[in-house]
C-alpha cells in the first residue's frame, strides 16, 4: 500500500490522539475509532487470504471523500495515518515476525485492553468471509490457529504480555497459511 507516487517526501499524518479524535467525530460513524482498533483491522487485511484494494475499505473508515482531499486537510492526513500503519504492520510481519506484537490499548506497563483490537480484527475478516472460514472455525488443515485471538474475546480480565505474544504467534501462522493463496491472486 506504499504511496510512492509523490516522491520520497513523507506525507503529513496525524498523531494517535488527533487520528482518534477525527475518527470519533466522523459522520457517518466509522467502525474504527482507536489506534488499537485500526491495528486489528489492518492486521486482518494484511494477513488475510487475498489483497483487498484500499479503495474498498479506506472509505468505510474515513469517508469516501477523504481519498481525494488536499494534503493539508485532516481527512487526507487521516488517510496517510492509515497508510503508515498498514505499511508498519506489513513490514513488521514480513521482516521481523518474531518481534511483531499487536497494538493493544495499554492499561499499564503489564496489562492491555484488547476489545477494540479483536473486534476490529474480526471486522477486517469480513471482506473475504468464506476464505477466512477454515481459520475462524478451525479445520483439519489449519487446526485452531486462531485460538489465542478467540481467547481475547472470552477473557474476563485484561490481557498480559504473554497474551500479546501468543496472539502475535497466531498472526504469523495465519499469515503463513494464507500466503499461498495470496501469491496466486491475480490482479
Amino acid at each position: 500500500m506504499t504511496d510512492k507516487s509523490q516522491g520520497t517526501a513523507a506525507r503529513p499524518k496525524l498523531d494517535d490522539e488527533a487520528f482518534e479524535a477525527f475518527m470519533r467525530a466522523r459522520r457517518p460513524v466509522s467502525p474504527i475509532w482507536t489506534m488499537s482498533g485500526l491495528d486489528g483491522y489492518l492486521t486482518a487485511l494484511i494477513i488475510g487470504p487475498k489483497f483487498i484494494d484500499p479503495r474498498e475499505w479506506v472509505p468505510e473508515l474515513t469517508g469516501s471523500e477523504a481519498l481525494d482531499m488536499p494534503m493539508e486537510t485532516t481527512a487526507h492526513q487521516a488517510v496517510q495515518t492509515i497508510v503508515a500503519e498498514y505499511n508498519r504492520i506489513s513490514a513488521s510481519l514480513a521482516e521481523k515476525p518474531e518481534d511483531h506484537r499487536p497494538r493493544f490499548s495499554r492499561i499499564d506497563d503489564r496489562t492491555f485492553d484488547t476489545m477494540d483490537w479483536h473486534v476490529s480484527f474480526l471486522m477486517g475478516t469480513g471482506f473475504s468471509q468464506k476464505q477466512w472460514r477454515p481459520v475462524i472455525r478451525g479445520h483439519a488443515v489449519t487446526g485452531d490457529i486462531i485460538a489465542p485471538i478467540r481467547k481475547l474475546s472470552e477473557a474476563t480480565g485484561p490481557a498480559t504480555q504473554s497474551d500479546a505474544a501468543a496472539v502475535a504467534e497466531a498472526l504469523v501462522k495465519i499469515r503463513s497459511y494464507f500466503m499461498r493463496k495470496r501469491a496466486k491472486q491475480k490482479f
Side-chain angles (χ1 to χ4, degrees):
M1 187 170 164
T2 306
D3 183 3
K4 297 193 182 208
S5 62
Q6 298 288 324
T8 58
R11 311 239 7 220
K13 64 183 195 97
L14 302 174
D15 64 24
D16 293 358
E17 189 175 303
F19 177 79
E20 290 178 354
F22 171 80
M23 298 305 276
R24 284 188 176 106
R26 195 177 87 66
R27 298 296 178 261
V29 176
S30 175
I32 307 298
W33 56 88
T34 66
M35 293 303 290
S36 177
L38 180 64
D39 186 272
Y41 188 80
L42 295 176
T43 299
L45 294 173
I46 291 164
I47 69 172
K50 65 181 185 176
F51 173 77
I52 308 296
D53 189 322
R55 292 173 294 193
E56 288 184 47
W57 53 267
V58 168
E60 276 191 27
L61 305 182
T62 61
S64 57
E65 70 287 344
L67 290 171
D68 299 321
M69 297 296 275
M71 201 181 311
E72 61 277 356
T73 64
T74 303
H76 177 85
Q77 293 171 10
V79 171
Q80 292 310 307
T81 302
I82 293 168
V83 169
E85 285 300 297
Y86 186 101
N87 290 339
R88 179 192 64 77
I89 296 163
S90 184
S92 175
L93 286 164
E95 297 167 9
K96 291 209 170 222
E98 67 280 359
D99 293 338
H100 181 79
R101 293 294 179 269
R103 188 173 179 181
F104 298 149
S105 296
R106 187 173 289 284
I107 295 172
D108 57 38
D109 288 344
R110 300 178 123 169
T111 60
F112 306 95
D113 178 349
T114 65
M115 182 139 157
D116 287 345
W117 189 93
H118 77 262
V119 167
S120 299
F121 178 88
L122 291 175
M123 278 193 289
T125 67
F127 284 95
S128 47
Q129 289 178 343
K130 185 177 179 182
Q131 293 158 315
W132 268 97
R133 199 171 295 140
V135 171
I136 300 285
R137 294 184 179 172
H139 185 270
V141 175
T142 64
D144 195 17
I145 58 178
I146 201 165
I149 298 168
R150 185 181 316 104
K151 182 181 170 193
L152 296 178
S153 66
E154 298 167 351
T156 57
T160 64
Q161 295 283 355
S162 175
D163 296 323
V167 168
E169 186 178 332
L171 297 174
V172 171
K173 287 177 183 177
I174 295 167
R175 181 180 179 272
S176 295
Y177 170 74
F178 283 135
M179 192 56 70
R180 293 180 300 267
K181 291 178 190 226
R182 286 183 82 109
K184 294 177 184 177
Q185 187 177 359
K186 301 213 186 309
F187 296 96

